[in-house]
Amino acid sequence: MSRDLSHLAAGDPGAIEAMVRAQLPGPAEILVDRYRRSGWLSAHLDPLSPAPQLSPTLDPAAWPTLEDLADRLAAIYCGTLGWEFGHVQDEARFRWLAIEAEAAEPLPAESRARAAYLTAAGEAFEAATLKRLPTVKTFGMSGAESFLALADAVIRFGGAGEVVVGGMHRGRLTQLGLVFGKPLARLVAEAKGTPDLEPTVGAFSDVPYHLGYEGERDDGVRVWVAPHPSHLSVVAPVATGYARGRGAAGGAAGVLPLMLHTDAAFAGQGVNMELMQLSGLPGYTVGGTVHLVLNNQVGFTTGAGEARTARTSADIAKLVEAPILHVNGDDPDALLRAARAAARYRARFGSDIVVEVVTYRRRGHNEMEESRFTQPLQQAAIDALPPVSERYVAAGAPRPDLTAFRRALNAAFEATPAIPNDARDASGLSADIEARMAEPVTTGVARETLAELIVRLTAAPEGFALHPRVTQFLERRVDMASGERPVDWATAEALAFATLLADGHPVRLSGQDTARGAFAQRHLILADQRDGRTESVLARFGEAEVLNSPLIENAALGFEYGLSVARPDALTVWEAQFGDFLNVCQPMFDQYVTGGEDRWLFRSPLVMMLPHGWDGGGPDHSTGHLERVLARCARGNIVVASPTTPAGLFHILRRQLAWPWRKPLVLMTPKKMLRAAGCVSALDAFGPGTQFEPVIAEDVAAPARVVVCAGKVALTLAEARKARGQEGEVAIVRLEQLYPFPAAELAAALARWPAAEVVWVQEEPENLGAFAYADRRLEAAAGRRVPGICRPAAASPAVGWGAWHAAEEERLLAAALDLGASGAREAAE
């Protein structure tokens, strides 16, 4: 099965160095370096092809005085395990990998026995599902069953008490049943179409090969296998964030993050590169992740030559200098050595490592697909190969006894499929959840506590030389503590965080330039102007993380979502630099943030802040795509709000953890409003008995027109109305929360003015924003038609020139306040 390494000194990591010293040190050192850096290129990694010829620079014939040394190096580096670490620039890590490769440490007998059992059991499971469920898609791993031995060995060699797994479609059911401990009866029931939840729960659930598992393996290791969507690799950052939430940042002893990939997805999907880039950053580290890549040598019907430019499917690991161990999947012993090395490397350096298993599929991409249509020669070579388990036993591995497994598997297929009696929390999916979410939640805080917290927020670190403008920023807050100055947006946000921290809830705030604030509004990390040292303001109050993320949205949002699921009683906030960047993380938003509870019962209090507002910033810096967010709202899955007061922001953030359930919150946050004179709240609005108000209606006695709106346009309208002297003629009603829609509160507000005309005004174009969503809801609340006044419909969210923007806004405000005209069409002309 593999090149014989027995002639090397077992357990002697210095054997190669001893030979170098005994022979010609200069040439020998060159030869050793060449093997360490490029020997893997001559390794026999493809089970379907003969071993390649040695590179001319490695051939022993080219080194006649060093032939014995060359033979030993070829046995180590050019067998069925290729060690690729020439790109590792850190000398200590490079040296460690060389010693690990050259030590020739024998494998434990129990590991080989376990590998033989798993490989044979995997073949039996694959054969049984194909025979008994011939029309069911399971995305089996037939041909790559030895991958089971690799995943299992990483867990056993890793020694962690808990494993967090981000999985893949390929061989999903087989892996869950044989490696991760999911009961066979449950797996078979799901494959037959029996739901994993009672229909009365109200969840849409998912297809069997997407489902995860939480439980315990037979060796006592706790396992959390993340469910995943068909968007392939998006699960990896979610699972990695979950692992950090479970404590993986502390290193190897507690939680092992194990990410499973297939070749086409790992090489092709940018989210993997993003995740690699996050891996070593302080705010995202999980003590190293072991990535296992199952290289089928074909993605659906696409061969490697069409799927990537890189030499191997694992080349992206070089981005962060992670070692790559390439293994021939038909050699379980080589897989065990790779697993042991990967587990040890992660434990030693707390960094990522990748194992790529070069293997094949005996059948097509799924059980309905004929691979011979597109890969006839490859399939002919596969058909000629006996099962790996047979060849492994023939090579000296213990013959496994599958009697008990076959009996259990047969019992699972013969059993009457039953829906499990699942105790998972599904309270957030109750039929009346929207009504329950409309119930008021008091989130106010004692005034003396607020004053004390503001004072602590304003205190400059002892000995710090702050920037003069930061000093002024802090000094302005001193008067807020006494109530002499109203509270602004940034202070309200900081107060919400500080009060939650003081209550014992961890707070994590991340995003691009978030610590200072993209608009220089936040300053939660203070920097000494003389020596650059920093202090976190929120760390004064409790367990707080405030960090700037890289220029990454998709993986970053997935990481934060996964972390929030692992820590439902902590406030996790992710902020986009501009709301438009929701574009880049749309898969995470659609499949996890808005659908995670409905599909997999995930409970997440994640807050997404999307800066939003038409203020002349152009097409790419105006919108948080409110219309898209609202299109995903259903059955109480998320909360969408556009608060216009600092007090509203304070209360809605605190409400996230005051609720008995957990729902993601999408906030359309302001830009210019951050310093607007009208965007302030009195300190009393944060005090005892106060709460988030989803509708804010003005006290106007008998207006001719009532304008209903959401977001920044409310302040713009108020300023224009004042300039026109129309305070008594036009009333403004602010819709602070858009979903769940506050129908009762809005109806009560509008009932005060039965004779007034009611219009909806938004600064977004007619085809964007909230009007399409709110139209019928507004009519129901008002009891009459509510026309919309908007910018003209447009293919681009906003114009690019400031003068054009100003002219558009002037027409919009004129239409909104012109009591002789109404309707979107008038506003658009």
Side-chain angles (χ1 to χ4, degrees):
M1 295 294 290
S2 63
R3 299 193 188 216
D4 183 14
L5 302 180
S6 61
H7 61 284
L8 289 174
D12 181 5
I16 297 297
E17 282 73 8
M19 294 187 70
V20 170
R21 290 193 299 271
Q23 300 185 48
L24 299 173
E29 287 168 351
I30 294 172
L31 177 60
V32 170
D33 188 66
R34 287 183 179 178
Y35 266 98
R36 288 173 174 174
R37 294 187 185 277
S38 59
W40 71 275
L41 293 171
S42 297
H44 184 200
L45 303 177
D46 186 351
L48 306 179
S49 302
Q53 296 294 317
L54 279 177
S55 166
T57 62
L58 303 179
D59 192 335
W63 303 81
T65 60
L66 302 172
E67 187 171 351
D68 187 41
L69 174 60
D71 283 341
R72 292 176 181 239
L73 290 168
I76 294 167
Y77 289 105
C78 301
T80 50
L81 170 55
W83 298 75
E84 186 179 7
F85 56 92
H87 56 283
V88 177
Q89 301 302 304
D90 181 89
E91 186 61 32
R93 298 184 185 207
F94 183 93
R95 178 72 176 165
W96 186 94
L97 289 160
I99 292 173
E100 181 72 18
E102 295 160 11
E105 180 182 348
L107 291 167
E110 60 271 21
S111 295
R112 300 188 75 230
R114 176 75 176 168
Y117 172 81
L118 286 173
T119 304
E123 292 168 354
F125 186 92
E126 290 286 325
T129 53
L130 182 65
K131 178 181 179 180
R132 294 176 179 253
L133 304 171
T135 62
V136 175
K137 290 182 181 180
T138 63
F139 296 91
M141 67 189 314
S142 181
E145 290 90 352
S146 60
F147 188 85
L148 300 167
L150 172 67
D152 179 75
V154 168
I155 295 172
R156 291 180 183 273
F157 284 126
E162 182 175 352
V163 179
V164 172
V165 183
M168 57 186 178
H169 286 23
R170 184 61 52 208
R172 179 73 164 188
L173 304 185
T174 313
Q175 294 174 60
L176 283 168
L178 292 174
V179 177
F180 302 124
K182 190 167 184 176
L184 291 176
R186 185 67 237 141
L187 278 173
V188 172
E190 290 167 359
K192 288 181 175 180
T194 303
D196 64 323
L197 296 167
E198 290 284 356
T200 54
V201 168
F204 272 39
S205 193
D206 209 335
V207 294
Y209 53 84
H210 286 173
L211 298 176
Y213 175 65
E214 183 174 8
E216 190 172 292
R217 285 170 29 111
D218 58 6
D219 58 0
V221 175
R222 293 289 304 171
V223 174
W224 186 82
V225 182
H228 65 272
S230 278
H231 208 92
L232 299 173
S233 295
V234 296
V235 67
V238 173
T240 308
Y242 187 92
R244 182 173 174 105
R246 294 291 299 168
V255 181
L256 168 66
L258 182 63
M259 300 300 129
L260 313 181
H261 313 266
T262 48
D263 50 329
F266 194 61
Q269 296 208 321
V271 68
N272 292 311
M273 283 69 110
E274 294 179 359
L275 182 59
M276 286 284 177
Q277 196 68 272
L278 292 175
S279 64
L281 300 177
Y284 301 90
T285 182
V286 290
T289 297
V290 178
H291 294 270
L292 305 183
V293 182
L294 179 58
N295 184 353
N296 298 295
Q297 306 191 64
V298 60
F300 200 168
T301 66
T302 303
E306 300 169 294
R308 63 176 185 270
T309 301
R311 183 186 294 272
T312 79
S313 66
D315 273 19
I316 65 164
K318 297 176 183 178
L319 175 73
V320 295
E321 297 183 22
I324 308 170
L325 307 183
H326 307 273
V327 195
N328 186 319
D330 274 9
D331 187 352
D333 281 351
L335 289 167
L336 292 176
R337 290 198 298 275
R340 182 173 60 191
R344 288 175 174 175
Y345 181 87
R346 183 202 178 246
R348 173 68 177 81
F349 297 104
S351 296
D352 288 11
I353 186 168
V354 177
V355 181
E356 181 203 36
V357 183
V358 184
T359 182
Y360 45 83
R361 293 191 322 235
R362 286 197 179 272
R363 292 187 286 276
H365 177 66
N366 60 58
E367 286 62 34
M368 309 300 112
E369 189 260 321
E370 175 53 77
S371 56
R372 289 166 184 81
F373 291 160
T374 49
Q375 277 81 28
L377 298 182
Q378 185 183 70
Q379 284 303 126
I382 293 170
D383 293 342
L385 290 173
V388 174
S389 65
E390 294 180 8
R391 285 178 281 155
Y392 192 35
V393 170
R399 182 174 297 278
D401 181 0
L402 298 186
T403 304
F405 174 74
R406 292 185 186 279
R407 187 182 302 116
L409 185 59
N410 186 63
F413 275 104
E414 295 299 328
T416 301
I419 298 174
N421 183 14
D422 206 320
R424 285 177 288 173
D425 183 3
S427 60
L429 293 176
S430 62
D432 63 343
I433 187 61
E434 288 190 14
R436 295 174 65 194
M437 291 168 71
E439 296 172 359
V441 180
T442 301
T443 47
V445 176
R447 180 164 176 152
E448 54 272 21
T449 301
L450 293 169
E452 177 192 344
L453 294 175
I454 293 176
V455 170
R456 292 174 64 188
L457 284 168
T458 64
E462 187 174 351
F464 266 48
L466 297 177
H467 190 283
R469 288 171 60 184
V470 174
T471 299
Q472 293 173 5
F473 171 86
L474 296 177
E475 289 176 346
R476 282 196 298 270
R477 287 182 168 173
V478 174
D479 292 339
M480 298 179 193
S482 62
E484 297 177 32
R485 180 193 292 267
V487 177
D488 60 19
W489 189 273
T491 304
E493 180 191 75
L495 266 179
F497 296 151
T499 55
L500 288 171
L501 287 165
D503 290 341
H505 297 287
V507 171
R508 176 180 165 100
L509 172 65
S510 69
Q512 295 151 6
D513 306 293
T514 287
R516 188 205 72 177
F519 310 101
Q521 84 278 12
R522 192 170 277 131
H523 299 293
L524 290 177
I525 301 291
L526 303 178
D528 191 302
Q529 299 297 298
R530 294 169 302 195
D531 57 20
R533 61 192 169 123
T534 61
E535 180 181 305
S536 169
V537 173
L538 291 183
R540 302 167 181 173
F541 304 95
E543 183 186 338
E545 285 187 284
V546 178
L547 53 109
N548 295 322
S549 72
L551 197 62
I552 290 172
E553 290 90 21
N554 200 23
L557 176 60
F559 188 97
E560 302 302 332
Y561 178 80
L563 192 147
S564 73
V565 172
R567 301 200 306 173
D569 291 326
L571 187 71
T572 304
V573 182
W574 177 79
E575 180 180 56
Q577 190 176 70
F578 289 95
D580 310 73
F581 298 168
L582 178 65
N583 275 340
V584 188
C585 50
Q586 198 70 34
M588 291 295 181
F589 181 75
D590 287 350
Q591 293 166 326
Y592 279 104
V593 176
T594 63
E597 185 175 26
D598 205 22
R599 294 173 73 167
W600 310 303
L601 297 188
F602 280 173
R603 300 173 65 245
S604 167
L606 176 71
V607 178
M608 290 179 62
M609 291 184 174
L610 303 178
H612 175 85
W614 269 246
D615 49 21
D620 298 328
H621 299 300
S622 294
T623 180
H625 301 287
L626 178 59
E627 65 288 340
R628 291 188 196 170
V629 174
L630 291 171
R632 294 290 301 180
C633 295
R635 302 169 67 235
N637 61 332
I638 60 174
V639 178
V640 182
S642 186
T644 59
T645 70
L649 174 68
F650 172 86
H651 290 298
I652 202 168
L653 288 174
R654 285 183 52 78
R655 190 180 69 177
Q656 279 298 95
L657 300 185
W659 267 338
W661 47 80
R662 295 292 180 262
K663 302 286 182 178
L665 166 64
V666 181
L667 288 175
M668 297 290 151
T669 54
K671 295 173 288 179
K672 283 190 173 180
M673 275 171 57
L674 294 171
R675 294 176 176 81
C679 187
V680 292
S681 297
L683 192 59
D684 287 342
F686 302 80
T690 57
Q691 62 197 30
F692 176 73
E693 301 292 345
V695 174
I696 298 177
E698 294 180 327
D699 186 15
V700 179
R705 172 177 288 182
V706 177
V707 173
V708 184
C709 58
K712 177 181 75 72
V713 72
L715 276 71
T716 310
L717 283 167
E719 293 170 358
R721 180 185 60 178
K722 182 177 181 181
R724 289 169 168 242
Q726 292 181 300
E727 287 92 340
E729 298 176 330
V730 177
I732 299 173
V733 176
R734 306 184 193 188
L735 204 57
E736 301 283 281
Q737 179 175 294
L738 291 155
Y739 184 79
F741 191 80
E745 292 88 342
L746 180 60
L750 296 179
R752 297 163 53 191
W753 308 297
E757 177 191 24
V758 180
V759 299
W760 168 266
V761 176
Q762 68 179 36
E763 56 185 357
E764 298 93 338
E766 184 181 3
N767 57 319
L768 303 178
F771 184 55
Y773 156 82
D775 188 8
R776 294 292 177 266
R777 294 173 172 84
L778 291 167
E779 288 190 6
R784 52 198 183 275
R785 178 176 177 268
V786 179
I789 300 176
C790 324
R791 277 180 164 80
S796 178
V799 296
W801 298 99
W804 295 358
H805 163 77
E808 273 192 356
E809 185 162 282
E810 183 60 34
R811 289 194 295 270
L812 178 74
L813 294 174
L817 298 175
D818 183 356
L819 303 184
S822 66
R825 195 168 300 277
E826 287 87 343
E829 292 175 351

